[in-house]
Amino acid sequence: MDSAHPAFRLPDLTTHTFPAWVRADGRKGIRNIVAVAYLVECAHHVARRIVQQSGRDDVHLIGFPGCYPNAYALQMMQALCTHPNIGGVVLVSLGCESFNREALASHIRASGRSVETFVIQNEGGTAETIRKGTEAVARIRADADKAPRGDMHVSELVIGTICGGSDGTSGITANPAVGRCFDALGAAGAACIFEETGELVGCEKIMASRAITPELGAELEACVQKAEAYYTVMGFGSFAPGNAEGGLTTQEEKSMGAYSKSGSAPIRGILKPGDQPPTGGLYLLDVVPDGEPRFGFPNISDNAEIIELIACGAHLTLFTTGRGSVVGSAISPVIKVCANPETYRRLSSDMDIDAGRIMEGRATLDEVGEEITALVLKVAGGGESLSEAMGHQEFILTYKAFDPTGPACLPLRRA
C-alpha cells in the first residue's frame, strides 16, 4: 500500500459501535439535522433564506417544486422528513399548491419529531415568513438537541451506493472496491443498497442467479427489462458522451462496472423509493417508474438517485466517479470514491478515497475496500466527508409514479 495510506486494522464489525441519536421508532441517526422543506417552488426562496439566516450547517434545505399532487412526492417527503438523521422539520407552503401539507406535518409529528408549518399567504408574505421560520428553526433545533443518545451498531446502518461520471477505470477500481466494502458491511448485518437499474442492462441474469429465491430472481430480471423498455421509449440510454470520452465503449461495459458495486453477497430484495430494507444484507433499488413513461427521464441527475437512496433510510452514500463529481447531499453524507488516479490528482480536495491507486499498483482492491469501510465507520461516528465539510447539500425531487412492491420482491419482509 502507498506510504501515504498506511495499513490499518479494521475493528470487529460485529461488535463495533459509535454514538448516535435514538429515534422514537427505534432507528438511530448518525446526524441530527433540522430540515426546512418547501412544498412548492413558489416557497423555495423563502425556505432557502430561513436556512441561510439560521447560520447553522446542521439546518438543511429540502423540498418538492411541483404544484399539482403526486403520491410519490408525498411518500418521499414523508420518508425524508422522518429519516433517522432528521431531528425536526419546518414546512414552508405558499398556500395554494396541492401538496398535502397537513398529511406531511401529521406524519412527522407522529414520528415524535417537532414540526411547524408556515403558509406564506397567511403569514404576511416573504419577510414575515422568513422571520417566523427562522425563529421556528431555533425552537426545533433546541427540541432536536434533546433527542436521546445511544450506541449504534454496524448492523443498524443503511448504506447506499451510486456511480456518476463513470469512465473506463470505474469498473476496474472504485466500483469493485465499493463491492468489497458492501460485502464486509453486509456480513456484519448492515443493509446495503445499490441501484441504477438503467445501468444494469445485460446484468439481469447474473443478478437473478444471486437472488435468495427464484421468485425474487424473476423480479430482478423484470426490473432491468422495465428499465430497458423505458429508455427505449424515451430514446435515451444511460450512456453519456462523457462516458465515451472516458474510455467506456458500450452500455454493457458500463453496466458490468456499475454492477460490481454490489459485491458478491446474495441479493435479499428489491426496494422502491421510500421502502425501508426489512433486514440487513444486499438490496436493489428500482428507480425506474412503473407504467408508461409520463414524467420524462427517470432521474435527471445523480442527486435524484441519492435522494431516493436516502428515502430508503441510507445513513450515508458511497459515490464512485471516474471523470469526477463534486456533489454531496442534504440529510446524509456522501463519500466520494475516485476511480481514476489522474482525476484524483486534479480533484483531490473533493475526493475522499483514491481508488486509482489500484491502477498504479500502489494498493489492492481489498486494501481500498477496507479503506472505504474504515471511512464509513469514521463518518458514521461523526467525522465529516469532504463534500459535507465543504457544505454541499444538493437536493432534487421530481415527479414519478410507482406501484407497491409485491411479496416476491421482499421475501424477508418482517410481518
Side-chain angles (χ1 to χ4, degrees), residues 192-312:
C192 301
I193 308 172
F194 71 111
E195 46 82 68
E196 299 169 295
T197 44
E199 297 187 8
L200 293 169
V201 174
C203 299
E204 57 268 30
K205 291 191 180 299
I206 305 172
M207 289 196 296
S209 71
R210 293 169 58 191
I212 61 171
T213 67
E215 294 78 14
L216 174 59
E219 294 288 347
L220 288 164
E221 292 193 50
C223 275
V224 179
Q225 290 163 359
K226 178 184 69 169
E228 186 174 14
Y230 192 106
Y231 282 119
T232 298
V233 171
M234 294 300 299
F236 174 81
S238 186
F239 193 93
N243 297 144
E245 291 170 6
L248 288 171
T249 60
T250 63
Q251 177 66 59
E252 290 77 11
E253 182 185 6
K254 184 180 182 183
S255 292
M256 288 302 295
Y259 167 77
S260 67
K261 298 196 307 298
S262 68
S264 60
I267 299 175
R268 292 174 175 255
I270 298 170
L271 306 172
K272 294 187 180 182
D275 290 341
Q276 307 298 308
T279 66
L282 182 66
Y283 294 84
L284 172 69
L285 174 59
D286 178 9
V287 299
V288 175
D290 292 315
E292 293 298 317
R294 285 171 279 172
F295 304 114
F297 297 140
N299 289 93
I300 63 174
S301 73
D302 292 326
N303 276 93
E305 292 169 294
I306 293 174
I307 294 306
E308 289 177 330
L309 287 165
I310 295 172
C312 291

Side-chain angles (χ1 to χ4, degrees), residues 37-42 62-70 72-74 77 99 395 397-400:
Y38 58 91
L39 305 182
V40 66
E41 183 61 26
C42 306
I62 66 173
F64 177 65
C67 192
Y68 63 91
N70 179 248
Y72 160 81
L74 177 58
M77 289 296 287
F99 196 101
F395 184 96
L397 180 61
T398 57
Y399 284 101
K400 279 189 178 183

Side-chain angles (χ1 to χ4, degrees), residues 115 118 122 253 299 313 377 413:
V115 57
F118 296 90
N122 298 338
E253 182 185 6
N299 289 93
L377 300 182
R413 187 191 293 272

Side-chain angles (χ1 to χ4, degrees), residues 49-368:
R49 290 301 302 272
I50 291 170
V51 171
Q52 291 170 343
Q53 293 202 13
S54 75
R56 298 185 61 126
D57 292 336
D58 55 6
V59 178
H60 290 191
L61 178 67
I62 66 173
F64 177 65
C67 192
Y68 63 91
N70 179 248
Y72 160 81
L74 177 58
Q75 180 186 6
M76 287 286 289
M77 289 296 287
Q78 287 177 332
L80 292 165
C81 289
T82 57
H83 186 282
N85 287 355
I86 293 289
V89 185
V90 173
L91 301 178
V92 184
S93 162
L94 175 62
C96 54
E97 73 276 2
S98 297
F99 196 101
N100 193 336
R101 59 180 178 268
E102 292 84 4
L104 178 56
S106 177
H107 184 82
I108 296 167
R109 196 171 294 111
S111 77
R113 293 166 174 82
S114 295
V115 57
E116 296 189 33
T117 303
F118 296 90
V119 180
I120 297 169
Q121 292 170 347
N122 298 338
E123 304 295 346
T126 296
E128 190 64 8
T129 308
I130 292 171
R131 182 186 69 78
K132 292 178 179 178
T134 303
E135 292 174 352
V137 166
R139 290 191 294 271
I140 290 177
R141 177 75 271 163
D143 284 345
D145 288 342
K146 299 173 186 175
R149 302 299 300 272
D151 287 339
M152 183 173 181
H153 289 81
V154 173
S155 61
E156 297 173 285
L157 274 174
V158 182
I159 310 295
T161 188
I162 178 177
C163 49
S166 299
D167 69 7
T169 68
S170 296
I172 300 171
T173 61
N175 290 352
V178 165
R180 300 294 203 280
C181 171
F182 261 31
D183 286 345
L185 293 173
C192 301
I193 308 172
F194 71 111
E195 46 82 68
E196 299 169 295
T197 44
E199 297 187 8
L200 293 169
V201 174
C203 299
E204 57 268 30
K205 291 191 180 299
I206 305 172
M207 289 196 296
S209 71
R210 293 169 58 191
I212 61 171
T213 67
E215 294 78 14
L216 174 59
E219 294 288 347
L220 288 164
E221 292 193 50
C223 275
V224 179
Q225 290 163 359
K226 178 184 69 169
E228 186 174 14
Y230 192 106
Y231 282 119
T232 298
V233 171
M234 294 300 299
F236 174 81
S238 186
F239 193 93
N243 297 144
E245 291 170 6
L248 288 171
T249 60
T250 63
Q251 177 66 59
E252 290 77 11
E253 182 185 6
K254 184 180 182 183
S255 292
M256 288 302 295
Y259 167 77
S260 67
K261 298 196 307 298
S262 68
S264 60
I267 299 175
R268 292 174 175 255
I270 298 170
L271 306 172
K272 294 187 180 182
D275 290 341
Q276 307 298 308
T279 66
L282 182 66
Y283 294 84
L284 172 69
L285 174 59
D286 178 9
V287 299
V288 175
D290 292 315
E292 293 298 317
R294 285 171 279 172
F295 304 114
F297 297 140
N299 289 93
I300 63 174
S301 73
D302 292 326
N303 276 93
E305 292 169 294
I306 293 174
I307 294 306
E308 289 177 330
L309 287 165
I310 295 172
C312 291
H315 292 94
L316 56 86
T317 300
L318 301 173
F319 189 123
T320 68
T321 183
R323 300 276 291 175
S325 175
V326 301
V327 301
S329 178
I331 300 178
S332 296
V334 171
I335 292 174
K336 297 283 184 31
V337 183
C338 186
N340 190 317
E342 295 180 2
T343 301
Y344 182 83
R345 284 188 276 271
R346 288 196 305 271
L347 298 174
S348 59
S349 63
D350 286 281
M351 301 297 155
D352 297 279
I353 300 286
D354 178 12
R357 297 175 1 250
I358 298 166
M359 291 282 293
E360 297 179 334
R362 296 185 286 115
T364 67
L365 274 172
D366 287 339
E367 287 170 339
V368 175

